[in-house]
Amino acid sequence: MAAVRTFSGVAHTWLCDEMGHMNTRNYVGMFDDAMQHFMLILGHNAMVDGERRLGWADVRHEIDYKAEVPEGALVHVDCEALKIGNSSITYRQTLVLSESGEVAAINRATSVLFDLKERGTARIPQVMRDKVGEYLAAEG
């Protein structure tokens, strides 16, 4: 197993621009929501870790737009890990038009586990490291 579905949604009217397709800023919102679900799958519990003052800071996004997402389209995001470091994880998110299976966008991102008390990076726990293997892409 590599990719896992981490988000499903709709390109609602209010997410679209005057040209009738989803606006760029809303791709990032969907990718951000999907990232939170991916981290939960890997073992990061936002509620518990929030109390411990640990969170994820995105440090890089590279998005390739492949197809328009028209108003009303059903979409989903599949996510897979590319690599894991001491405090960061790099992953690929694929936004898909659910009804046709067409790839609408691909986001390659890196997020860092961040200690909000110390204001610096934190080491990714071993439990997450172990889980990443299940969702590691065959190629980077």
Side-chain angles (χ1 to χ4, degrees), residues 1-2 4 6 34-46 49 56 79-84 88-91 111 124-136:
M1 173 198 244
V4 61
T6 53
M35 181 275 291
Q36 293 292 338
H37 285 275
F38 189 52
M39 296 309 168
L40 176 63
I41 289 166
L42 296 180
H44 174 87
N45 183 319
D49 288 331
W56 292 96
C79 190
E80 56 193 343
L82 298 175
K83 68 179 182 177
I84 188 165
S88 68
I89 183 168
T90 301
Y91 48 95
S111 297
I124 294 175
Q126 189 60 45
V127 67
M128 288 187 74
R129 294 176 174 291
D130 295 342
K131 194 74 173 170
V132 160
E134 295 178 39
Y135 305 100
L136 199 58

Side-chain angles (χ1 to χ4, degrees), residues 6-33:
T6 53
F7 178 86
S8 295
V10 179
H12 291 286
T13 303
W14 55 87
L15 300 178
C16 296
D17 58 24
E18 70 279 0
M19 294 179 284
H21 59 255
M22 194 163 71
N23 192 281
T24 302
R25 75 179 96 191
N26 296 306
Y27 285 79
V28 175
M30 289 181 179
F31 285 138
D32 189 54
D33 289 350

Side-chain angles (χ1 to χ4, degrees), residues 69 84 94 120:
V69 176
I84 188 165
T94 304

